[in-house]
Amino acid sequence: MADQSIIDTSRHPLSDGVAPDWASGWGEDEYGVFVEITVGDVTQALRWCPPGRFMMGSPEEAERFDDEGPQIEITFARGFWLFETPVTQALYEAVTGENPARFNGADRPVENVSWEEAQAFLTALNDWMPGLELRLPSEAEWEYACRAGSTTPFEPTVAHRYSGASITPDEVNYDGNYPYGDAPKGTYRKETVPVKGRPFRPNAWGLWHMHGNVWEWCADAWYDSHEGASPDGRPRQASQQEGETSRVIRGGSWGFDAWLCRSASRHRLAPGLRLDGLGFRPARGQAPGALASLAATAEPPDAS
């Protein structure tokens, strides 16, 4: 086990009262500290995910897949920032000049974006804001942020009706015809919903829609278990299977069953694939060596 003394939860990047140059705003609320960036007239918040440790992967919970194990202890000696919401259509269009989404709405998540296109977006935004250094989260970071200190199948601040043991469509946007555990069938919206707002709520760290709405790309190359995962949470740069190029996706979506929205659920897609239930949520900071490799052929779009 890692030395507990290396984890300092009392400090964060805003402890000295000075925001980074790229921040257009910052503050603290009931969920913790946040910073904001502004592109044109679009403002996006990033939430602080504090240092700590957790068990990545699922225990013996219902409807789990073998690729969700074994459980591995991950230690984040330093915290990291994560977008409060998936990238919205408004922000994506402000950076790229394009909107590929099927379900149009400035405040809805952008979807139909491949892993490679997500990398191009991050390159463009980072070039526009020197020092920002956004990237895709590792799947360990993603699950740590999704759980926000919880160990239940769903984060209980979001899934409050069943204390995290199950969810309802009033709490998470998924196909309500296919519930999980004791939850009854419910509404199937057949589309995305805005990234914030009722009847939904953020998790304990202020992060919206970590469960459902859209799947989210992670930095990691696909590996068919957590065996051998880096204990500091950095992404895997290569699969255990020769020739495997798929990337990890997390979180479930509006068109999938409830069990796929669990904190530990993980799946894979080819990096060039686009789906109308697939978006992304950038991260910033974390342990040395955790920066994801950018797509070698991605050309950053004009962000002027």
Side-chain angles (χ1 to χ4, degrees):
M1 178 177 291
D3 183 357
Q4 182 67 36
S5 66
I6 69 172
I7 302 176
D8 180 4
T9 60
S10 65
R11 290 190 58 78
H12 54 74
L14 304 180
S15 295
D16 59 3
V18 179
D21 291 341
W22 45 262
S24 59
W26 62 283
E28 185 171 3
D29 59 18
E30 62 186 301
Y31 301 107
V33 296
F34 62 89
V35 292
E36 295 173 334
I37 59 173
T38 300
V39 180
D41 60 357
V42 181
T43 296
Q44 173 68 51
L46 292 82
R47 288 281 173 180
W48 179 244
C49 300
R53 61 168 51 90
F54 85 115
M55 298 300 293
M56 179 171 67
S58 65
E60 294 299 321
E61 62 191 30
E63 300 189 54
R64 73 185 292 276
F65 272 11
D66 289 344
D67 62 27
E68 297 169 17
Q71 285 193 295
I72 299 291
E73 184 179 75
I74 304 293
T75 298
F76 293 107
R78 293 186 285 173
F80 57 93
W81 296 102
L82 191 66
F83 266 34
E84 181 179 63
T85 70
V87 172
T88 62
Q89 294 173 37
L91 181 59
Y92 194 86
E93 189 166 1
V95 173
T96 69
E98 300 176 353
N99 183 2
R102 173 188 175 192
F103 304 110
N104 289 331
D107 60 349
R108 295 193 191 201
V110 68
E111 14 88 5
N112 275 322
V113 175
S114 70
W115 187 89
E116 295 162 348
E117 289 166 334
Q119 296 286 18
F121 169 92
L122 295 172
T123 298
L125 188 50
N126 288 336
D127 287 348
W128 200 356
M129 294 186 177
L132 182 57
E133 298 177 352
L134 293 177
R135 55 179 174 76
L136 290 177
S138 70
E139 69 165 325
E141 289 174 317
W142 192 97
E143 185 174 329
Y144 179 66
C146 180
R147 290 188 179 280
S150 66
T151 59
T152 47
F154 307 94
E155 198 277 335
T157 306
V158 173
H160 56 95
R161 179 174 176 182
Y162 293 93
S163 302
S166 189
I167 52 171
T168 71
D170 289 335
E171 299 167 326
V172 171
N173 185 23
Y174 65 93
D175 184 345
N177 293 305
Y178 301 98
Y180 180 86
D182 294 332
K185 291 184 178 182
T187 301
Y188 178 25
R189 296 177 179 83
K190 302 181 181 180
E191 62 182 353
T192 60
V193 297
V195 296
K196 297 175 67 172
R198 293 184 173 182
F200 309 102
R201 65 180 71 192
N203 74 9
W205 290 354
L207 301 165
W208 290 81
H209 292 285
M210 297 294 288
H211 303 292
N213 212 18
V214 289
W215 291 98
E216 298 179 7
W217 287 111
C218 293
D220 300 63
W222 176 259
Y223 206 93
D224 64 7
S225 77
H226 290 315
E227 186 173 357
S230 178
D232 67 1
R234 74 185 65 188
R236 296 184 194 261
Q237 300 298 338
S239 174
Q240 90 289 350
Q241 182 177 337
E242 185 176 356
E244 174 62 81
T245 61
S246 296
R247 296 285 167 167
V248 174
I249 60 172
R250 289 289 199 128
S253 84
W254 62 268
F256 283 79
D257 305 4
W259 70 273
L260 289 165
C261 300
R262 291 173 300 117
S263 298
S265 176
R266 57 192 297 267
H267 292 273
R268 60 180 168 176
L269 286 175
L273 191 63
R274 305 180 187 93
L275 294 175
D276 59 13
L278 178 61
F280 65 108
R281 181 189 307 254
R284 182 185 188 279
Q286 207 253 301
L291 289 176
S293 297
L294 297 180
T297 59
E299 291 293 332
D302 181 23
S304 60

